[in-house]
Amino acid sequence: MSAPEMLAVLLVVVLGLAATVSGQADGLSVVPPGPSVHASKGEVWPKPSSTKKTAWFYNLRPSSFQFLVTGSTCDVLENALTRYARVLQREAAVGRALARQEQRAGRRLRGWRNDPFFGGYITSLRVEVSACERWPYPSMDESYKLLVDVDEDAPDRAPTGRLTARSSWGALRGLETFAQLLSPSGDGSSLLLNATLVTDAPRFPHRGLLIDTSRHFLPVEDIKIELDAMEAVKMNVLHWHIVDDQSFPWQSSLFPELSAKGAYHPSLTYSPKDVLDVIQYARLRGIRVMPEFDTPGHTRSWGEGRPGLLAACHDFLGRPDGTYANIDPTKPENLDFLKQLFGEVAATFPDPMLHLGGDEVPDFCWDSDPGVRAYMENRGISGDYRRLQSDYLRWLTTEVQRLNRTPVVWQEAWQNGNFNADDVIVHIWLGNAMDLMNQVTRRGFRALLSETWYLDHLNTDWRAMYRIDPQNFHGRAEQLRLVEGGEACMWGEMADDTNVHSRIWPRAAAVGERLWSPRTTTDAAAAAPRLEELVCRLRRRGVTASPANGPGFCPR
Amino acid sequence: MSAPEMLAVLLVVVLGLAATVSGQADGLSVVPPGPSVHASKGEVWPKPSSTKKTAWFYNLRPSSFQFLVTGSTCDVLENALTRYARVLQREAAVGRALARQEQRAGRRLRGWRNDPFFGGYITSLRVEVSACERWPYPSMDESYKLLVDVDEDAPDRAPTGRLTARSSWGALRGLETFAQLLSPSGDGSSLLLNATLVTDAPRFPHRGLLIDTSRHFLPVEDIKIELDAMEAVKMNVLHWHIVDDQSFPWQSSLFPELSAKGAYHPSLTYSPKDVLDVIQYARLRGIRVMPEFDTPGHTRSWGEGRPGLLAACHDFLGRPDGTYANIDPTKPENLDFLKQLFGEVAATFPDPMLHLGGDEVPDFCWDSDPGVRAYMENRGISGDYRRLQSDYLRWLTTEVQRLNRTPVVWQEAWQNGNFNADDVIVHIWLGNAMDLMNQVTRRGFRALLSETWYLDHLNTDWRAMYRIDPQNFHGRAEQLRLVEGGEACMWGEMADDTNVHSRIWPRAAAVGERLWSPRTTTDAAAAAPRLEELVCRLRRRGVTASPANGPGFCPR
């Protein structure tokens, strides 16, 4: 650029800025017609570690396309191939419908056959897995490599696809990427994708979504919709906050009274079959189901089916006032009950992690229950409710470890507690999160982040969630390594099946990308068109994701 | 620290102090199990002007029940009777399903036959309308009287129902009340209702809901769901903000290019048949459809199909910069176009009111367009864009009055304008609303309120909306009489068919009650159980209303 050119550009920039200011004196701005953000085409969410694309592109017709397993196989992989074959068919069907509408409206359809970069028809994707695994686990290998290109060795130099992964989990993630690279051909005939090389692996092993089925019940069909959406954005932990103060929908086989009396209604419970159904559906998508049975607070509904379990609040004259709060851990029969119950939980939920809650434990009731007071006096810890709490949680974590489960606790349990570094994983949700992440990991604990990722905070938009990074604190390398990831949390006070999907998506996808993609993937403006595309993609798969960026549309 | 944060801290401090006394030192509270608010049974939303209920109750079996028309009739009434017969059947069916579940869970079902207050079986509701009308209008009579009681004159003293109204509109409202008085009998057999006398009439004539089909398209089926919900809460104006900057989905027969080029997609438009379908569906429910064609701002999408309509923004060298803002009212051909277009609008939408917008009109583009500048210079009004705006809107309102339509404008058009009291109805949405209501009515203008009633403000809960009263200003009696009512507004930037119903309902119902019920109906705590019941009732009618008050459930 010559000096006069530079000057001219500079002038335009400066005057442009001035114009922006002077033109918007009334706070209004020029609104262009059309969507506020135009969706990308065939871009992947979450963004892979490395993507190389060329201008060459190929055509894929689902009817003459197949997945070829060339390595190890198992039900996870076979099921995924069937599922993704359907995804391709549906994408093509939507493309056909759109083209018909465009045609009816008298628009010229896009031609691609004579495009100089058209490289032929792709008829297969070879899927090569070294070791096909059947159950997802916390350190599972989700890496994969995907190459779509002409095969230089084939006599006809036909385009071909190849997906390689060490485990079935990487294959699942690679299949999702492959499906997302495709976009309608524009003439309704088929799908197109570019010559592409993707090398990909997650940044964090724990990429979760919390659902709360106590404040409002969620039918199994709706939980499955969440699992479908999670698979689409490569999230891998369903944190099932299954019971709480308000209701106890989980059917225990040992203690059927818990749900018989603690559920909102007999129709609003999860039978053993329902739970298994969710776990299997999740397993086939490489998603772990980590249940949460939050104690000693948040257990009010437990008391309905288990009289004596909760400490009874007493009035100032020492009479029970009819209200209850925490579990009373001073009664041996209660500890025995919990031992049995958590044994059943561990037998029901195969995941190695078990969330024990431990948050928001109030002192009252403990403070007024004569039994609890007497117990504490006998042990010389009168009035030290923090001690009572931490003793209880130490006991519980030890029990749970005996069941071969790694306990996870909310931050208060750790703050009030007395744990060793390997005892628990600490889940941060409140306050100065980065300072807490630093403290927790400095003491050698593993950590999960959920602060800012509360989906029930309706004014927190996806960009705010996207900005957060769980390693954004000044910690040593070994501290940063203790960050396991995090979770988007859909607390259920105001959410049920009427609005839960549109509240979770697309915002949880921002968390999904933050936890999967490289640390440097932080440009929200660059991400917005991909998120716009993701929203329509999720809808085509039956997930009612709501608008991401403002005015716009999904062609239908 | 932001203001909300400061408030939160302050709250914590205050509650902490209070807790020291009550024993809630950690800011936590006892959470009872079960729903946060228990739903009422057979209570009406919006609350009628006067309801007298006795302990006597009657049984209604939809299969042996009929509506008897004893006065004037018409398609509005006949259609409503068919519709409400279906509502009764559905309510009974849900009651049956619930009883089956209770039974399966081993619970004892409620008996009512031996209840000393059981007064027999009601087999008919006589509906007597003095003058059955076919088209709803702004001053229509929606009053009714409903009496359900034993008929002292009948030889068998059987219970009977009688609904009387001057117009079909009152009959519609009374039928809705009748349907809401019913609740499942508990044993799955039928429905129950108390001996009741309701005398009812709306407080305000204009009880609206605004939908925005420009920022996101809403399929006709979803608009009909809104109309179903509006009928259930006796709202009577669908304010259809049909086009705006982003898209022009309305198919004009005179100017088909407007939607052909201005819609998001050829599939996302409203054909004349679609519009008629909405208007008829609304008419049968006593709901007026008031369209809004907002000018001279908010018209960016109009320009796509109508080159030359919009003022072109120019850069500092006097070259068009490719952006556009307002309609250019200085070109005679544009005024001619608008005259024709609004003629078609009036021919399409029969409602006597037509919303002309007039909000958020920016100066720029007008300010840089040489044609506009020259025109203004010639008329000696250079730089007076407020004058240009008000001249334009005066011209437009005159044209619209010639079409026998009462124009409605947003507050800015009135503030910047130069209208006489009978020219326009003023719609308040921004700023110190009560002060504006006072100003507007003091000058003799009729007014509508929407401030605080913006459903796109997600943190405004139903209680905040419920607190607002459009007559809550110090005005003389004749001023208060100029308050026509108001509207809940569902602006569509972030809402489409994935989330629009759950965002509108139940919050819009709070506005519905405020505008229908007596001024003294202000106790939100007393209203909450009725709203909880309404949410489940709306769901049974296919409206995905979201949770109203917190944790809870609708039996299913």
Side-chain angles (χ1 to χ4, degrees):
Chain A
M1 188 153 45
S2 69
E5 273 172 351
M6 270 177 63
L7 188 65
V9 166
L10 200 68
L11 252 174
V12 167
V13 168
V14 169
L15 290 167
L17 283 173
T20 312
V21 174
S22 75
Q24 301 187 4
D26 41 13
L28 303 169
S29 57
V30 170
V31 175
S36 58
V37 169
H38 286 266
S40 59
K41 280 186 183 169
E43 297 286 334
V44 182
W45 188 286
K47 200 177 171 68
S49 311
S50 156
T51 308
K52 286 173 185 155
K53 259 191 199 187
T54 79
W56 288 98
F57 69 90
Y58 311 119
N59 185 288
L60 186 154
R61 287 164 302 184
S63 57
S64 52
F65 172 84
Q66 57 184 330
F67 296 111
L68 299 172
V69 177
T70 58
S72 153
T73 194
C74 56
D75 68 342
V76 169
L77 185 57
E78 296 297 330
N79 194 293
L81 298 182
T82 311
R83 207 159 62 237
Y84 281 100
R86 268 203 301 272
V87 167
L88 303 194
Q89 280 156 10
R90 218 174 310 134
E91 293 287 308
V94 170
R96 268 196 301 281
L98 288 180
R100 265 199 304 274
Q101 285 161 358
E102 301 262 343
Q103 221 157 10
R104 232 179 275 139
R107 297 194 186 172
R108 233 182 105 241
L109 299 179
R110 177 190 171 195
W112 47 268
R113 286 180 184 76
N114 298 322
D115 191 304
F117 285 103
F118 173 52
Y121 296 87
I122 187 165
T123 56
S124 69
L125 178 73
R126 279 182 289 155
V127 181
E128 196 176 317
V129 168
S130 315
C132 210
E133 296 173 295
R134 297 192 65 243
W135 284 95
Y137 52 97
S139 59
M140 61 185 166
D141 190 328
E142 295 172 277
S143 67
Y144 67 92
K145 189 175 150 186
L146 174 67
L147 176 67
V148 176
D149 204 353
V150 289
D151 188 345
E152 300 286 345
D153 297 334
D156 58 351
R157 297 175 61 90
T160 183
R162 190 174 165 166
L163 168 63
T164 49
R166 276 188 288 273
S167 162
S168 28
W169 316 120
L172 289 189
R173 306 305 172 230
L175 285 166
E176 181 60 48
T177 295
F178 180 72
Q180 297 197 8
L181 288 169
L182 293 156
S183 61
S185 59
D187 62 349
S189 69
S190 49
L191 303 167
L192 300 179
L193 83 168
N194 287 75
T196 309
L197 170 64
V198 174
T199 322
D200 202 7
R203 180 172 164 210
F204 293 107
H206 191 111
R207 306 180 304 281
L209 171 68
L210 177 148
I211 57 167
D212 169 4
T213 57
S214 173
R215 275 62 178 256
H216 283 94
F217 182 81
L218 281 182
V220 167
E221 288 315 305
D222 290 280
I223 298 178
K224 288 183 177 175
I225 288 172
E226 289 310 317
L227 293 167
D228 289 340
M230 289 173 71
E231 174 177 48
V233 300
K234 302 185 171 72
M235 291 174 88
N236 65 358
V237 182
L238 180 75
H239 175 167
W240 194 351
H241 187 89
I242 192 165
V243 298
D244 205 296
D245 280 325
Q246 286 82 1
S247 79
F248 196 103
W250 184 63
Q251 289 184 14
S252 159
S253 301
L254 288 180
F255 305 102
E257 291 295 295
L258 291 173
S259 64
K261 298 202 169 150
Y264 281 135
H265 190 265
S267 63
L268 305 177
T269 59
Y270 301 105
S271 68
K273 196 168 148 288
D274 290 335
V275 172
L276 194 64
D277 194 9
V278 168
I279 293 171
Q280 289 292 344
Y281 198 89
R283 173 181 78 82
L284 291 172
R285 285 152 184 80
I287 299 170
R288 301 160 37 210
V289 177
M290 174 179 76
E292 177 179 354
F293 285 79
D294 189 353
T295 66
H298 287 279
T299 49
R300 185 57 191 83
S301 70
W302 303 39
E304 296 296 279
R306 187 79 191 172
L309 178 65
L310 305 182
C313 303
H314 287 61
D315 66 17
F316 67 98
L317 291 176
R319 298 167 303 200
D321 70 3
T323 66
Y324 300 87
N326 311 328
I327 284 179
D328 178 351
T330 68
K331 294 183 185 165
E333 64 268 31
N334 284 346
L335 299 186
D336 187 52
F337 158 78
L338 290 166
K339 216 164 139 172
Q340 290 183 65
L341 186 82
F342 277 96
E344 186 184 354
V345 167
T348 306
F349 294 90
D351 197 69
M353 285 192 197
L354 181 48
H355 206 300
L356 301 179
D359 58 317
E360 299 182 317
V361 182
D363 292 349
F364 50 92
C365 296
W366 272 353
D367 188 38
S368 74
D369 186 303
V372 176
R373 295 179 69 103
Y375 172 96
M376 292 176 75
E377 210 166 305
N378 286 340
R379 277 177 181 57
I381 57 167
S382 274
D384 189 354
Y385 298 102
R386 181 178 283 212
R387 171 70 186 276
L388 185 64
Q389 208 183 121
S390 85
D391 283 356
Y392 164 73
L393 277 169
R394 267 200 80 112
W395 170 82
L396 183 61
T397 50
T398 309
E399 288 301 322
V400 162
Q401 282 160 344
R402 270 196 206 126
L403 296 164
N404 275 321
R405 293 294 181 272
T406 303
V408 185
V409 292
W410 296 108
Q411 66 189 49
E412 297 99 309
W414 177 79
Q415 287 164 318
N416 299 336
N418 180 23
F419 294 112
N420 297 320
D422 282 337
D423 286 348
V424 293
I425 296 173
V426 184
H427 198 160
I428 305 299
W429 67 282
L430 188 70
N432 190 336
M434 285 308 133
D435 187 48
L436 277 163
M437 293 294 283
N438 199 346
Q439 283 181 45
V440 164
T441 55
R442 195 164 52 224
R443 299 195 201 164
F445 287 83
R446 287 186 284 164
L448 292 171
L449 182 72
S450 282
E451 201 272 334
T452 309
W453 289 343
Y454 270 32
L455 298 159
D456 51 317
H457 294 185
L458 300 181
N459 281 356
T460 307
D461 66 8
W462 76 263
R463 286 162 197 266
M465 297 190 174
Y466 196 70
R467 265 196 296 276
I468 302 303
D469 189 309
Q471 290 178 330
N472 190 23
F473 58 86
H474 293 288
R476 297 184 308 276
E478 59 267 36
Q479 277 180 262
L480 298 182
R481 271 195 297 275
L482 291 169
V483 178
E484 294 283 316
E487 298 179 359
C489 297
M490 182 70 262
W491 294 105
E493 279 82 356
M494 298 300 283
D496 65 7
D497 55 316
T498 61
N499 60 357
V500 73
H501 307 306
S502 64
R503 286 197 174 178
I504 294 177
W505 307 104
R507 290 184 300 155
V511 178
E513 175 148 308
R514 174 60 49 244
L515 295 173
W516 175 281
S517 302
R519 187 167 189 167
T520 50
T521 308
T522 54
D523 183 347
R530 276 189 299 115
L531 192 63
E532 195 78 9
E533 183 180 14
L534 177 72
V535 164
C536 298
R537 183 184 291 134
L538 287 172
R539 291 183 187 188
R540 292 194 296 273
R541 298 199 196 172
V543 182
T544 51
S546 60
N549 296 299
F553 68 104
C554 291
R556 60 179 91 210
Chain B
M1 185 152 47
S2 69
E5 278 171 352
M6 271 177 61
L7 188 66
V9 165
L10 200 68
L11 256 172
V12 166
V13 169
V14 170
L15 289 170
L17 284 173
T20 320
V21 180
S22 73
Q24 303 185 6
D26 39 16
L28 303 168
S29 58
V30 170
V31 175
S36 58
V37 170
H38 287 266
S40 59
K41 280 186 183 171
E43 297 288 334
V44 182
W45 188 285
K47 200 177 172 68
S49 311
S50 156
T51 308
K52 286 171 185 157
K53 260 190 200 187
T54 78
W56 288 98
F57 68 91
Y58 312 119
N59 185 286
L60 186 154
R61 287 165 301 183
S63 57
S64 53
F65 173 84
Q66 56 183 331
F67 295 112
L68 298 172
V69 177
T70 59
S72 154
T73 193
C74 56
D75 68 342
V76 169
L77 185 57
E78 296 296 331
N79 194 292
L81 298 182
T82 312
R83 208 159 59 237
Y84 281 99
R86 267 202 303 271
V87 167
L88 303 194
Q89 281 155 11
R90 216 173 313 134
E91 292 287 307
V94 170
R96 269 195 302 281
L98 287 179
R100 265 199 304 274
Q101 284 160 0
E102 301 261 342
Q103 221 158 11
R104 232 179 278 140
R107 297 193 186 175
R108 232 180 107 242
L109 298 179
R110 176 191 171 194
W112 47 269
R113 285 179 186 80
N114 297 323
D115 191 304
F117 286 103
F118 173 53
Y121 296 87
I122 186 165
T123 57
S124 68
L125 178 74
R126 279 182 290 154
V127 182
E128 195 175 317
V129 168
S130 315
C132 210
E133 296 174 296
R134 296 192 65 242
W135 284 95
Y137 52 97
S139 60
M140 61 185 167
D141 189 329
E142 296 171 277
S143 67
Y144 66 93
K145 188 175 151 185
L146 174 67
L147 175 65
V148 176
D149 203 354
V150 290
D151 187 344
E152 303 286 345
D153 298 333
D156 58 351
R157 297 175 62 91
T160 182
R162 190 173 165 166
L163 170 62
T164 49
R166 275 188 289 274
S167 162
S168 30
W169 316 121
L172 289 188
R173 306 305 171 230
L175 285 167
E176 181 60 49
T177 295
F178 180 73
Q180 296 197 10
L181 288 170
L182 293 157
S183 60
S185 60
D187 62 349
S189 70
S190 49
L191 302 167
L192 301 179
L193 83 169
N194 289 74
T196 309
L197 170 64
V198 174
T199 322
D200 201 9
R203 179 172 166 214
F204 294 107
H206 190 112
R207 306 179 305 280
L209 171 69
L210 176 148
I211 57 167
D212 169 4
T213 57
S214 173
R215 275 61 178 259
H216 283 95
F217 182 82
L218 281 182
V220 167
E221 289 315 304
D222 290 280
I223 298 178
K224 288 183 177 174
I225 288 173
E226 288 310 315
L227 293 167
D228 289 339
M230 289 172 72
E231 174 177 49
V233 299
K234 301 184 171 73
M235 291 174 90
N236 64 357
V237 182
L238 180 74
H239 175 166
W240 194 350
H241 187 88
I242 191 165
V243 298
D244 204 296
D245 280 325
Q246 286 82 1
S247 78
F248 196 104
W250 183 64
Q251 289 183 15
S252 159
S253 301
L254 288 180
F255 305 102
E257 291 295 294
L258 290 173
S259 64
K261 297 201 170 150
Y264 280 135
H265 189 263
S267 63
L268 305 177
T269 59
Y270 301 106
S271 69
K273 197 169 147 286
D274 291 335
V275 173
L276 194 64
D277 193 10
V278 168
I279 293 170
Q280 290 293 344
Y281 197 90
R283 173 181 77 83
L284 291 171
R285 284 153 184 81
I287 299 171
R288 300 159 40 211
V289 177
M290 174 180 74
E292 177 180 354
F293 285 80
D294 188 352
T295 67
H298 287 280
T299 50
R300 185 56 191 84
S301 70
W302 302 38
E304 296 296 279
R306 188 78 192 173
L309 178 65
L310 306 181
C313 304
H314 286 62
D315 67 18
F316 68 99
L317 291 176
R319 297 167 304 200
D321 71 1
T323 67
Y324 301 87
N326 312 328
I327 284 178
D328 178 349
T330 68
K331 293 182 185 166
E333 65 267 31
N334 284 346
L335 300 185
D336 187 54
F337 158 78
L338 290 165
K339 215 165 142 175
Q340 290 184 65
L341 186 82
F342 277 95
E344 187 184 353
V345 166
T348 306
F349 294 90
D351 198 69
M353 285 192 197
L354 180 48
H355 207 299
L356 301 179
D359 58 317
E360 299 182 318
V361 182
D363 292 348
F364 49 90
C365 295
W366 272 353
D367 187 37
S368 74
D369 186 303
V372 175
R373 295 179 69 106
Y375 172 96
M376 293 176 75
E377 209 164 307
N378 285 341
R379 276 173 181 60
I381 57 165
S382 274
D384 188 354
Y385 297 102
R386 180 178 281 213
R387 171 70 185 276
L388 185 63
Q389 208 182 120
S390 84
D391 283 356
Y392 164 74
L393 279 170
R394 266 201 82 111
W395 170 82
L396 183 61
T397 50
T398 309
E399 287 301 322
V400 161
Q401 282 159 342
R402 270 197 207 125
L403 297 163
N404 276 321
R405 293 295 181 273
T406 304
V408 185
V409 293
W410 296 108
Q411 65 188 52
E412 299 100 307
W414 177 79
Q415 287 164 316
N416 299 336
N418 180 23
F419 294 111
N420 297 318
D422 282 337
D423 287 348
V424 293
I425 296 172
V426 184
H427 198 160
I428 305 299
W429 66 282
L430 188 70
N432 190 335
M434 285 308 133
D435 186 49
L436 278 164
M437 293 294 283
N438 199 346
Q439 281 181 45
V440 164
T441 54
R442 194 163 52 224
R443 299 195 201 163
F445 287 82
R446 287 187 283 163
L448 292 171
L449 182 72
S450 282
E451 201 272 334
T452 309
W453 290 344
Y454 270 32
L455 299 159
D456 52 316
H457 294 184
L458 300 182
N459 281 356
T460 308
D461 66 9
W462 76 263
R463 286 161 197 266
M465 296 189 175
Y466 197 71
R467 265 194 297 276
I468 302 303
D469 189 309
Q471 289 177 331
N472 189 23
F473 58 88
H474 293 288
R476 299 183 308 274
E478 59 266 37
Q479 275 180 262
L480 298 182
R481 273 195 296 276
L482 291 169
V483 177
E484 294 283 317
E487 299 179 357
C489 297
M490 181 71 263
W491 294 106
E493 280 81 356
M494 298 300 284
D496 65 8
D497 56 317
T498 61
N499 59 357
V500 73
H501 307 306
S502 64
R503 286 197 174 179
I504 294 177
W505 307 104
R507 291 184 299 155
V511 178
E513 176 148 307
R514 174 61 50 245
L515 295 173
W516 177 280
S517 302
R519 187 168 187 165
T520 50
T521 308
T522 55
D523 183 347
R530 277 189 298 114
L531 193 63
E532 195 78 9
E533 183 180 15
L534 177 72
V535 164
C536 298
R537 181 185 291 133
L538 287 173
R539 292 184 187 187
R540 293 196 293 273
R541 298 201 196 170
V543 183
T544 51
S546 59
N549 296 300
F553 68 103
C554 291
R556 58 179 94 212

